[in-house]
Amino acid sequence: MARMMCMNCLISCQFKCTEAGLFADSGCTKMLFKCWDKISTYGFKLHHHYYQLIGSKRVSKSWWRKLLLSWLIGWTVVSFWIFCYMSSQATDKRKETLASMCDERARMLQDQFNVSMNHIQAMSILISTFHHGKNPSAIDQTTFARYTERTSFERPLTSGVAYAVRVLHSEREQFEKHQGWTIKRMDTLEQNPVHKDDYNPDLWEPSPIQEEYVPVIFAQDIISHVISMDLLSGKEDRENVLRARKSGKGVLTAPFRLLKTNRLGVILTFAVYKRGLPLNATPNERIQATDGYLGGVFDVESLVEKLLQQLASKQTILVNVLDTTNQSHPISMYGSNASDDGLELVSHLNFGDPFRKHEMRCRFKQKPPWPWLAITTSIGILVIALLVGHIFHATVNRIAKVEDDCHKMMELKKQAEAADVAKSQFLATVSHEIRTPMNGVLGMLHMLMDTDLDVTQLDYVRTAQASGKALVALINEVLDRAKIESGKLELEEVQFDLRAVLDDVLSLFSGKSQDKGVELAVYISDRVPEMLIGDPGRFRQIITNLMGNSIKFTEKGHVHVTVHLVEEVIDMIEVETESSPKNTLSGFPVADRRQSWKGFRSFSQEGSIHPFSDSIRLIVSVEDTGEGIPIEAQSRVFTPFMQVDPSISRTHGGTGIGLSISKCLVNLMKGEIGFVSIPKIGSTFTFTAVFSSSSSSSKEYKSQQINNQANSVCSEFRGMRALVVDPRPVRAKVSRYHIQRLGIHVEVVSNWKQGLSVISQGNNVIHMVLMEQEIWDRDLNGPSLFIDNLEKIDHSTPPKVFLLSNSISSAGVCNLTVIPKPLRTSMLAASLQRAMGDGNKGNPRNGKLPSLSLRNLLLGRKILIVDDNNVNLKVAAGALKKYGADVVSASRGMEAIELLTPPHQFDACFMDIQMPEMDGFEATRRIRDSEQNINNRVHFGESSVETYNNVLNWHVPILAMTADVIQATHEECLRCGMDGYIPLERTSAHDMPMASIRPPLLWHALRHFNKLHFFPRDRQTMPVYIKPRSDIGFSCILQCRKQSLLIFSPYLLVKLASQNQQGW
């Protein structure tokens, strides 16, 4: 099911890519499906087997019912087992608790009984010493009663203590006379117990005649009623006395009803012996040495009750104390005899008498609670099992439907793949079919401009050329958007001059800005490095889109482009004040640019770059005073194909995708873009971009070969001093920036009076004065007076005065040299050269080459052009023949194979890809196969080298020419054996193609590299390496082993062409 969801998303993405644009990249979903198929190969097999074994319709429903029933029965048994297990665990825990509590009570009872027993034994020694060892005795009843009462706390379990003396029959009469009472018998009282209130010792019968008597002579007050009783006459006491004197240890009686209290108790008896009895005496010796017996009475019921009172958990359990000497008839000493079928635990008691066995039986007072945890757990598990069974049952029923959906989805996938292939082919075909005639049109227009045309004809040609370029630019924008959406757009990393790039962009919009009277300016901070590493073509595209929009929507005021380091702007934020008309380029109010970068991560700690990194973060702002963007439309500014207002597209034109493309490119450059706009005031767009510093990079980059004349021009003006007269600080700062690039020291004043004062002081010689046209427009008499006073100043050569103007029509003002804006280094240098005497160095007209050596640059070189389009053949042949090349044209692939079969005299071949009968790929493969066969035959000696013009290794350079924009086309070119790939994909300002080798552009390239060879005669120095570079438009680099190099750069060609128009 998860796989089906992924497949659904994938096909949805395919349909979205198809709807994104007609010219979307053919690899939009092709590569996506390819990766998906690789990842899901094994998963799909497992998924398929799962369907077959589990979810297939072929499995009978009864089998599923049996499986479900087994599942339910199994989990019912499991839940019952869990209930029993948890219940037993609870019972065991309850039993452990009861055992712990019972052992605690038994231990306490036994410990306190031992304490009492030890004290009674000590009293027996005391009586032996002070009663029998003294004559007369030191102990009487009063003394004994008082002593036992005071020491009762040391016998916590005893109810009373009594001492009985041994009296022989011969001594009875004297003993009774001495004591004053008769020895009484006990057995009658045991047989007929009386209530304690009816108890009267005088009514007791005298003890019968026997060999010896054991009457009680001393007793604790609480049991003083036993005095005069003969212990030998009682059943329990008699056995106790006899065992005590024989064993020499304390002995216990069986539980019996105590006299008077009628409560259940026991008596602990110790024999008192004569002094001098050895420790190892025999039982007979012990009997003969016995003087008396000391007994302790234990009221078991009250004593156990008192003990339990000391425990906090007394009420939790029930305690029974039993005498189990007779296991078959145990005697209960404490507790109820009622039987209980509940849990009961037994703890054994040891009271020191090995003959008597005692134990404590404990049970909980309350019945055990219901095992709710076991019940809820088992029921919960059973419920979960039932739910799982239900889900499983529902899943099984759903699988059949999902299987059908899977088959449908696979069919849709195949249809989507077929649509993708068709779309890719359509894109390639449309691109080729549109670009090929457009390149022919533009190429022919270039050739037409080289002929003798009058002003009207030249205007018509230029209009047609501009329309063609606009059409191709529109196609390029749509293709760019499709590339970005498919993720196929990648950035180059080359070294480039940022200032030169912006100068070229200024050249593109200088005409429009002058026609509209809008001031256009660029300022780059001195802290920005001269050379950067990045993608200048895409950076130029962003600037072009933003500046184009600003020029389009601005009717008055200015368009100002500034470039700073992000760190520099962060430092300036705290001291920068609000913008005012005096602080702007043209004096018109503008939107606060600080609001345009509000929220940029680059200005936060998380967006900062490591201080030791070689990354350069630039922030570029494009400020205008145009119409502004309505508040309700600002949220969709970066939405593709969305206009601010439907009327905008009719008034100003455009597709509405320029800003969306710019945002995507900024993201690729690891930057951010934002804007602030105020209706009727203007807009400011700001973006950041991350580049690398060329000085710290360890990579080897090919630097752009542009503006080589700039260094020589700068050397001509280096050391000169210039004075700029401008009342606006921002505009003066821009003028200083451009003039200082020529090596000229610049001073700035706000009016002509200050300028005259600076010149008249004579501290430094001023070679030139550049005055803003606003000075002239404000006060016509003042500037004239300024020029008159300059001539009166005593200088060997008065400074040359220039007028900075937005319009070339101001050239007649006071006969001053007008430098038109926007200022650019090349234009500024040319104007200064002309005015300072260095400007008349030749200005070739269109169609006329200034040097005959360039005419012969390709003299003797034979080049084959293969193209089925006659227009392209004419354009290319005319361009190459103009430089002396011998051009041969072919319109079919078979014809090219025949011409390039060795031996031949061709130095190079330009091969079209899409041709009828046989395309360029197949033709190239056959040519390479033919060359390889001949090279092998020569190498193995099967053919002589003289047969093939003494060439050991045949390999003619073949360059592919196509208007396709598909990456697969480039890869196919290299696979089939071509040496290079010339994608004619750009005619926009940021990346123009060398469309069908246009004559004037080719001438400027050859003029720039007039000392290099085009193709070496020695074929053994081949092969030729061709490397397309999109960073400077398109560069075709041909390099042989002799290190001779020729670069075709549209960026360079456009620059040289524009310089030619300016008078170079």
Side-chain angles (χ1 to χ4, degrees):
M1 293 177 68
R3 184 182 185 277
M4 299 308 304
M5 294 174 63
C6 295
M7 183 66 70
N8 188 21
C9 295
L10 200 61
I11 296 177
S12 299
C13 179
Q14 157 68 15
F15 290 152
K16 291 181 180 179
C17 288
T18 305
E19 297 173 358
L22 189 59
F23 304 100
D25 194 340
S26 67
C28 176
T29 55
K30 188 175 183 180
M31 295 302 297
L32 192 60
F33 277 116
K34 185 177 181 181
C35 295
W36 167 256
D37 288 337
K38 289 182 179 180
I39 294 173
S40 61
T41 299
Y42 295 104
F44 178 78
K45 291 181 180 179
L46 182 62
H47 187 72
H48 182 67
H49 291 312
Y50 173 79
Y51 276 165
Q52 286 185 335
L53 298 178
I54 297 180
S56 177
K57 295 179 180 178
R58 293 174 294 179
V59 181
S60 62
K61 294 183 178 180
S62 60
W63 191 87
W64 285 117
R65 291 193 183 97
K66 293 179 180 179
L67 180 61
L68 184 60
L69 182 61
S70 301
W71 170 272
L72 297 178
I73 294 175
W75 277 104
T76 302
V77 174
V78 170
S79 62
F80 179 75
W81 177 85
I82 291 175
F83 170 77
C84 295
Y85 176 77
M86 295 186 69
S87 297
S88 64
Q89 291 291 318
T91 302
D92 292 342
K93 185 175 181 181
R94 182 178 173 85
K95 185 181 297 184
E96 291 176 1
T97 303
L98 180 61
S100 175
M101 298 173 67
C102 191
D103 289 342
E104 179 184 13
R105 286 155 175 76
R107 185 175 59 255
M108 292 181 62
L109 180 61
Q110 185 172 293
D111 291 343
Q112 294 192 25
F113 187 88
N114 290 335
V115 171
S116 300
M117 184 176 65
N118 292 336
H119 191 268
I120 293 174
Q121 186 177 11
M123 288 183 64
S124 68
I125 299 173
L126 182 68
I127 291 174
S128 175
T129 302
F130 292 97
H131 178 65
H132 295 286
K134 298 291 184 178
N135 191 14
S137 174
I139 301 176
D140 58 10
Q141 170 60 28
T142 304
T143 304
F144 185 85
R146 186 182 305 166
Y147 174 78
T148 55
E149 187 67 30
R150 292 181 178 180
T151 59
S152 61
F153 67 91
E154 296 180 354
R155 304 179 304 277
L157 299 184
T158 59
S159 300
V161 180
Y163 177 68
V165 67
R166 180 182 183 186
V167 178
L168 298 176
H169 179 70
S170 59
E171 300 172 352
R172 176 176 178 176
E173 184 178 355
Q174 183 181 357
F175 174 79
E176 290 177 345
K177 186 182 295 186
H178 180 266
Q179 294 293 332
W181 42 259
T182 304
I183 299 174
K184 306 293 192 304
R185 63 185 303 175
M186 183 179 289
D187 53 351
T188 305
L189 190 63
E190 290 179 355
Q191 296 174 3
N192 302 301
V194 296
H195 194 269
K196 62 180 179 178
D197 295 334
D198 300 332
Y199 185 80
N200 186 3
D202 295 336
L203 299 179
W204 292 358
E205 296 179 3
S207 176
I209 299 173
Q210 52 192 9
E211 293 182 359
E212 61 179 286
Y213 307 92
V214 184
V216 178
I217 60 175
F218 303 139
Q220 192 174 347
D221 290 341
I222 193 172
I223 58 171
S224 59
H225 58 273
V226 299
I227 295 177
S228 74
M229 285 190 177
D230 181 13
L231 299 182
L232 290 179
S233 62
K235 179 180 179 182
E236 294 294 336
D237 290 334
R238 179 181 180 83
E239 293 178 0
N240 213 33
V241 166
L242 295 178
R243 286 195 302 114
R245 69 182 183 180
K246 187 176 183 178
S247 64
K249 298 180 180 179
V251 295
L252 289 172
T253 64
F256 66 95
R257 295 292 174 178
L258 297 177
L259 298 177
K260 191 176 181 179
T261 62
N262 202 30
R263 294 175 65 88
L264 197 64
V266 295
I267 296 176
L268 174 65
T269 304
F270 280 96
V272 178
Y273 299 102
K274 292 181 174 60
R275 299 178 64 183
L277 180 68
L279 296 177
N280 57 352
T282 64
N284 290 330
E285 291 176 347
R286 290 179 182 277
I287 293 173
Q288 295 300 324
T290 301
D291 284 335
Y293 307 91
L294 182 66
V297 181
F298 293 85
D299 187 347
V300 178
E301 293 183 2
S302 62
L303 295 179
V304 174
E305 187 70 24
K306 185 187 300 182
L307 175 65
L308 296 179
Q309 291 290 342
Q310 301 175 14
L311 299 176
S313 58
K314 166 183 173 291
Q315 303 299 327
T316 305
I317 63 175
L318 298 177
V319 176
N320 284 359
V321 180
L322 302 175
D323 185 332
T324 58
T325 304
N326 186 355
Q327 292 289 344
S328 60
H329 296 89
I331 303 174
S332 176
M333 300 172 63
Y334 175 80
S336 174
N337 291 325
S339 62
D340 191 352
D341 296 334
L343 182 64
E344 185 179 63
L345 197 75
V346 176
S347 293
H348 294 283
L349 300 173
N350 184 9
F351 291 148
D353 186 354
F355 178 77
R356 290 292 176 182
K357 306 295 182 184
H358 301 85
E359 64 182 29
M360 179 181 288
R361 297 180 181 179
C362 304
R363 63 182 184 275
F364 284 105
K365 183 176 295 187
Q366 297 178 350
K367 293 183 178 181
W370 285 88
W372 291 113
L373 180 61
I375 294 173
T376 55
T377 302
S378 58
I379 292 178
I381 293 176
L382 182 61
V383 169
I384 292 175
L386 294 176
L387 290 176
V388 172
H390 175 72
I391 294 173
F392 188 75
H393 179 68
T395 303
V396 169
N397 293 335
R398 183 72 175 170
I399 283 177
K401 185 177 183 302
V402 172
E403 188 177 21
D404 294 338
D405 293 342
C406 178
H407 293 305
K408 293 180 181 179
M409 298 288 273
M410 295 303 298
E411 292 296 329
L412 293 175
K413 176 179 176 290
K414 293 179 181 179
Q415 296 176 10
E417 289 176 345
D420 179 66
V421 172
K423 182 190 65 178
S424 300
Q425 187 63 35
F426 176 77
L427 176 64
T429 303
V430 169
S431 175
H432 182 273
E433 296 301 328
I434 293 179
R435 291 171 182 272
T436 298
M438 285 306 304
N439 290 331
V441 170
L442 296 177
M444 283 298 182
L445 290 176
H446 272 292
M447 297 180 66
L448 183 60
M449 291 177 66
D450 290 336
T451 62
D452 293 332
L453 301 175
D454 57 28
V455 177
T456 303
Q457 292 172 333
L458 185 61
D459 180 64
Y460 291 164
V461 172
R462 288 176 175 171
T463 302
Q465 187 182 46
S467 300
K469 290 181 179 179
L471 178 58
V472 177
L474 175 60
I475 297 175
N476 290 334
E477 286 185 346
V478 177
L479 292 176
D480 270 343
R481 184 66 198 181
K483 271 189 175 183
I484 292 172
E485 289 183 350
S486 62
K488 301 296 182 182
L489 188 63
E490 297 181 357
L491 299 182
E492 298 285 344
E493 285 193 16
V494 296
Q495 184 172 292
F496 69 98
D497 185 350
L498 176 66
R499 291 165 175 81
V501 170
L502 288 177
D503 281 351
D504 296 326
V505 178
L506 281 177
S507 300
L508 295 174
F509 296 106
S510 60
K512 290 184 179 180
S513 64
Q514 291 172 359
D515 294 342
K516 301 180 73 171
V518 175
E519 189 162 357
L520 180 62
V522 168
Y523 172 78
I524 302 178
S525 171
D526 295 335
R527 293 177 58 179
V528 177
E530 191 73 21
M531 303 299 293
L532 298 173
I533 294 176
D535 193 330
R538 296 301 176 182
F539 180 78
R540 187 184 301 111
Q541 183 177 2
I542 298 172
I543 294 293
T544 302
N545 286 336
L546 297 180
M547 290 185 64
N549 287 339
S550 296
I551 293 292
K552 182 190 302 183
F553 295 103
T554 302
E555 300 298 332
K556 60 182 179 179
H558 67 268
V559 175
H560 188 198
V561 181
T562 59
V563 182
H564 295 84
L565 296 179
V566 171
E567 294 77 11
E568 182 182 3
V569 174
I570 293 176
D571 296 337
M572 292 190 305
I573 288 177
E574 298 180 356
V575 299
E576 190 177 56
T577 59
E578 292 290 336
S579 298
S580 64
K582 291 185 178 180
N583 290 331
T584 63
L585 187 70
S586 61
F588 285 85
V590 296
D592 187 2
R593 62 173 182 168
R594 291 176 296 182
Q595 299 298 322
S596 63
W597 63 61
K598 186 176 181 181
F600 277 13
R601 289 182 291 106
S602 302
F603 290 82
S604 62
Q605 187 69 23
E606 62 181 18
S608 61
I609 294 179
H610 194 277
F612 299 104
S613 173
D614 62 348
S615 299
I616 303 296
R617 295 188 299 170
L618 298 184
I619 179 169
V620 184
S621 295
V622 180
E623 173 187 280
D624 66 62
T625 58
E627 301 176 3
I629 303 174
I631 302 298
E632 63 275 7
Q634 293 184 5
S635 59
R636 59 177 187 270
V637 164
F638 295 107
T639 304
F641 305 103
M642 292 294 294
Q643 296 283 358
V644 172
D645 186 80
S647 62
I648 297 296
S649 59
R650 296 191 294 269
T651 305
H652 299 280
T655 59
I657 61 175
L659 287 178
S660 65
I661 293 175
S662 299
K663 183 176 182 180
C664 295
L665 294 177
V666 168
N667 292 335
L668 289 176
M669 293 182 181
K670 301 178 182 179
E672 301 167 277
I673 188 170
F675 72 97
V676 58
S677 182
I678 302 176
K680 306 302 180 181
I681 297 295
S683 304
T684 299
F685 281 80
T686 300
F687 71 92
T688 61
V690 178
F691 297 96
S692 298
S693 175
S694 61
S695 60
S696 60
S697 177
S698 60
K699 297 181 181 179
E700 180 180 359
Y701 293 96
K702 297 294 183 181
S703 177
Q704 296 183 36
Q705 307 297 323
I706 58 174
N707 202 9
N708 286 349
Q709 295 86 350
N711 293 332
S712 61
V713 171
C714 291
S715 61
E716 297 178 11
F717 300 103
R718 195 173 304 279
M720 291 186 176
R721 304 183 69 86
L723 180 66
V724 175
V725 183
D726 194 332
R728 300 193 180 280
V730 175
R731 187 168 55 195
K733 186 177 181 180
V734 172
S735 301
R736 174 188 291 192
Y737 156 71
H738 289 285
I739 298 171
Q740 283 181 341
R741 290 177 63 189
L742 297 177
I744 303 174
H745 179 74
V746 181
E747 294 185 27
V748 177
V749 295
S750 60
N751 55 63
W752 64 270
K753 295 180 180 179
Q754 294 180 2
L756 191 62
S757 175
V758 171
I759 297 174
S760 61
Q761 288 178 1
N763 296 331
N764 295 301
V765 178
I766 301 298
H767 298 87
M768 61 191 76
V769 177
L770 294 92
M771 184 173 294
E772 185 63 38
Q773 184 178 357
E774 183 180 346
I775 302 293
W776 294 91
D777 297 338
R778 185 183 301 175
D779 185 5
L780 297 178
N781 296 326
S784 301
L785 182 61
F786 171 75
I787 296 175
D788 295 339
N789 290 334
L790 282 181
E791 298 176 354
K792 298 177 183 179
I793 297 176
D794 186 12
H795 284 293
S796 57
T797 302
K800 187 69 175 178
V801 180
F802 299 89
L803 184 66
L804 301 177
S805 175
N806 290 328
S807 176
I808 304 179
S809 60
S810 305
V813 179
C814 296
N815 296 323
L816 297 180
T817 301
V818 177
I819 299 179
K821 293 183 180 181
L823 295 180
R824 303 178 301 283
T825 302
S826 58
M827 178 274 303
L828 184 61
S831 300
L832 295 179
Q833 282 178 337
R834 286 196 298 267
M836 305 296 285
D838 299 325
N840 300 322
K841 300 208 173 180
N843 184 13
R845 294 182 56 190
N846 288 340
K848 297 182 180 180
L849 301 179
S851 174
L852 294 177
S853 61
L854 292 179
R855 284 180 174 273
N856 300 326
L857 183 62
L858 302 181
L859 185 63
R861 307 302 180 188
K862 192 172 183 179
I863 300 176
L864 175 64
I865 301 177
V866 185
D867 199 325
D868 62 320
N869 190 289
N870 292 329
V871 177
N872 287 343
L873 288 176
K874 291 179 182 180
V875 174
L880 295 175
K881 288 179 180 179
K882 195 170 186 178
Y883 300 100
D886 182 10
V887 180
V888 177
S889 300
S891 59
R892 296 183 300 112
M894 290 299 300
E895 187 178 352
I897 296 174
E898 295 175 358
L899 292 174
L900 293 180
T901 301
H904 59 76
Q905 298 296 324
F906 290 100
D907 295 279
C909 173
F910 292 91
M911 178 80 70
D912 187 21
I913 292 179
Q914 296 183 357
M915 294 183 295
E917 297 182 3
M918 181 184 295
D919 58 20
F921 298 139
E922 182 62 25
T924 302
R925 290 191 189 96
R926 296 192 182 186
I927 293 171
R928 294 304 182 211
D929 291 341
S930 176
E931 291 176 342
Q932 185 64 34
N933 292 334
I934 293 174
N935 292 338
N936 291 337
R937 292 170 59 186
V938 172
H939 178 73
F940 292 108
E942 298 178 5
S943 299
S944 62
V945 70
E946 290 81 7
T947 306
Y948 297 100
N949 296 344
N950 294 320
V951 178
L952 294 176
N953 185 19
W954 282 92
H955 185 95
V956 61
I958 300 178
L959 308 181
M961 294 190 304
T962 179
D964 288 355
V965 295
I966 309 302
Q967 178 67 20
T969 304
H970 182 197
E971 297 172 356
E972 183 63 24
C973 289
L974 300 180
R975 281 197 297 267
C976 73
M978 293 185 177
D979 298 281
Y981 171 72
I982 305 177
L984 305 178
E985 60 174 293
R986 295 290 173 195
T987 54
S988 61
H990 67 275
D991 199 2
M992 286 188 64
M994 202 170 60
S996 300
I997 314 179
R998 299 176 188 171
L1001 303 184
L1002 180 60
W1003 176 83
H1004 283 296
L1006 298 178
R1007 175 190 177 193
H1008 189 70
F1009 297 101
N1010 57 2
K1011 295 182 180 181
L1012 302 178
H1013 301 287
F1014 184 50
F1015 292 108
R1017 272 295 183 187
D1018 184 7
R1019 297 181 186 273
Q1020 297 183 15
T1021 61
M1022 308 307 282
V1024 177
Y1025 298 93
I1026 292 91
K1027 185 177 182 182
R1029 299 297 292 267
S1030 62
D1031 53 293
I1032 51 177
F1034 165 77
S1035 298
C1036 182
I1037 303 174
L1038 295 87
Q1039 184 177 7
C1040 65
R1041 296 179 184 175
K1042 291 183 179 180
Q1043 301 299 321
S1044 55
L1045 181 68
L1046 177 63
I1047 297 180
F1048 291 97
S1049 172
Y1051 168 67
L1052 172 65
L1053 304 183
V1054 173
K1055 182 173 184 61
L1056 292 175
S1058 64
Q1059 291 171 347
N1060 184 40
Q1061 294 175 2
Q1062 294 294 339
W1064 279 41

